[in-house]
Amino acid sequence: MSRSRMRLAAVYLLVIGVILYGAGLGMLGLLMRSNWSALEREVETLAGTLHDSLKPLLPAEAKPSPQLAAVLPGLCLVGSPCQPAPSLIPRHAVSITDPERFYLRLLDPSGGLIAHSPGSPRAKAERPGPAWTVVAGPGGERFLQYSIHLHRSHTPADPGANALEMDWGYLQIGRSLSGLDAERQRLWWATQTIVVLALVVAGLASWWLSGLAMRPLLAAYRQQEQFTGDAAHELRAPLANLLAVVEAHRTKPPADAVARDQMLAAVQGQGQRLSRLISDLLLLARLDGPEAGAAMQSCSLTQIACDLLEETSEAASIAEVQLRLQSGDDDLNVLGVESELYRLVSNLLLNAIQYTPSGGEVLLSLRREGNLGLLQVQDSGMGITPADQQRIFDRFFRSDPGRSRRQGGTGLGLSIVAAIIRRHRGEIIVASKPGSGSVFTVKLPMATTPAPPSGSTACPH
Ligand code: ADP
């Protein structure tokens, strides 16, 4: 059992772990995605501002020249040694003066490098590809690079004509990703630590939860084990008696017909006990199984009670117990399976007769209470102690095993009653006082349609 608990806890932990880890990675991804978008917006805005401020200042030709150097102080022109940046930097370059984080590159229309920031990553002369690329810088540092077309505004000589926009080359802005990468690393480790700590807690919770889940299974398993043991014991007794009689017959055959008849009667009695026990066990197994059986329909509880009163009248007169029925004029129709309802009422009635001493009385009453049909079996018998009242519905429980066996009881009668009531979504209540009788009250849901007419005889009230 503890191996099963361990396996269940491991499955719980695995499921919780996968969910936690997935959620952690998802959160990390979302956070990084939003940081990345903010970075893209920042670079895009910067590129737009630079483009607009450079447009009117760019020289006519896209090649390294003193005019270009004047427009972009601080950038190194290709083919000339890099000049140190002047202390007073013109406005358009102010935004990207942080050489730690940004670099700038100017390319001619064919993709050839014209000018670049001093520390910018070296790139081969090529046509700028997609707008966004990630470029590896010196020392492995990564940069997010954005490329846009650079235009130059040209004012025609004719004063009435509109200013023209002409393709000039390309502007590339790189933004260092070192901050973002460090942040990603930090968050990654934070996620791992949190997930590992959460998994430790989840492991403890899984162990506790698996114990909780196993409890009813363990109880059901023990109950089943007890039931199998009891059933085997109950079956063994009549079988042993039967075999003993047969063995006696074989070793010392009965001398006369009377002795033979006695022997046969004993074999038959034990055989019948076995047969009763087996059919009760089979019925219980069927009642406990999935609810396939017969369909529920409207059944007349009044008719069932009348039929059973007649059937048990002989047993009652043998036991010298008076049987009475108390019911209203109307038929009490409940929703159920007729054969099972017959069995339910019969078990209660036979028990009442069996556990009532001679001269006593058994009263079967029927009435309606709201949308429930009430059937009550009241006897003036020996009663049941409060401790036993908790256990009489357990399989094979008997207050007085000897008496029950002598009278042919299997110890399964009330378990069958309880199983039938469970299937009918009803309820059974026991009220009893030792020495002054018992009352078994059964509540069953009423049917909305009348029961089909039966061929049974009218009921004597
Ligand atoms: P069985 O009657 O075959 O022993 P049941 O399951 O029908 O088995 O009943 C279980 C036990 O409940 C009985 O052995 C008896 O002790 C007790 N019992 C049931 N009905 C009554 C009753 N009407 N009065 C007193 N005791 C009862």
Side-chain angles (χ1 to χ4, degrees), residues 305 307-325 346 348-364 377-380 407:
D307 289 351
L308 285 171
L309 218 66
E310 203 177 306
E311 269 177 41
T312 52
S313 58
E314 198 186 327
S317 69
I318 292 171
E320 294 171 21
V321 170
Q322 199 198 341
L323 258 183
R324 275 198 310 123
L325 174 71
S346 147
L348 290 178
L349 263 180
L350 287 174
N351 270 354
I353 296 169
Q354 188 176 330
Y355 296 105
T356 301
S358 57
E361 189 192 49
V362 172
L363 173 68
L364 176 60
V377 180
Q378 184 175 0
D379 63 57
S380 60
Q407 296 185 334

Side-chain angles (χ1 to χ4, degrees), residues 57-129:
L57 306 172
L58 287 170
E61 275 199 81
K63 60 178 189 183
S65 62
Q67 295 97 304
L68 189 61
V71 171
L72 292 161
L75 288 198
C76 309
L77 293 179
V78 171
S80 328
C82 247
Q83 299 293 323
S87 55
L88 196 63
I89 296 165
R91 231 182 107 62
H92 58 260
V94 164
S95 315
I96 54 165
T97 49
D98 182 359
E100 298 290 315
R101 292 197 300 141
F102 291 96
Y103 68 76
L104 250 189
R105 285 151 57 91
L106 288 183
L107 310 177
D108 64 22
S110 62
L113 187 64
I114 306 169
H116 60 91
S117 307
S120 76
R122 291 216 186 145
K124 288 189 290 186
E126 58 185 25
R127 272 182 183 281

Side-chain angles (χ1 to χ4, degrees), residues 154-165:
H154 170 67
T155 316
D158 179 2
N162 286 335
L164 295 172
E165 286 233 328

Side-chain angles (χ1 to χ4, degrees), residues 351-352 355 379 383-384 392 397-399 404 409-411 413-414 438 440:
N351 270 354
Y355 296 105
D379 63 57
I384 309 164
I392 50 173
F397 175 81
R398 295 154 162 130
S399 297
S404 161
T410 60
L414 286 181
S438 317
F440 286 80

Side-chain angles (χ1 to χ4, degrees), residues 147-207:
S147 307
I148 55 167
H149 271 288
L150 202 51
H151 300 101
R152 183 176 82 89
S153 28
H154 170 67
T155 316
D158 179 2
N162 286 335
L164 295 172
E165 286 233 328
M166 300 165 74
D167 268 356
W168 190 87
Y170 295 96
L171 168 69
Q172 288 184 329
I173 296 182
R175 162 71 158 92
S176 166
L177 291 176
S178 60
L180 193 80
D181 286 347
E183 177 75 0
R184 191 210 316 267
Q185 202 70 4
R186 247 196 328 274
L187 285 175
W188 167 260
W189 282 112
T191 309
Q192 301 299 315
T193 314
I194 290 170
V195 167
V196 167
L197 286 178
L199 279 181
V200 172
V201 178
L204 295 175
S206 301
W207 182 251

Side-chain angles (χ1 to χ4, degrees), residues 338-407:
E338 199 170 50
S339 60
E340 291 177 8
L341 293 177
Y342 265 101
R343 186 63 196 263
L344 185 162
V345 182
S346 147
N347 279 9
L348 290 178
L349 263 180
L350 287 174
N351 270 354
I353 296 169
Q354 188 176 330
Y355 296 105
T356 301
S358 57
E361 189 192 49
V362 172
L363 173 68
L364 176 60
S365 50
L366 296 168
R367 65 172 194 277
R368 186 186 176 138
E369 203 177 86
N371 54 356
L372 292 173
L374 247 73
L375 176 135
Q376 218 165 46
V377 180
Q378 184 175 0
D379 63 57
S380 60
M382 54 195 274
I384 309 164
T385 61
D388 285 354
Q389 283 174 34
Q390 314 287 321
R391 304 185 56 202
I392 50 173
F393 295 100
D394 290 352
R395 291 161 188 199
F396 297 118
F397 175 81
R398 295 154 162 130
S399 297
D400 180 352
R403 179 185 174 139
S404 161
R405 285 204 184 91
R406 265 195 314 280
Q407 296 185 334

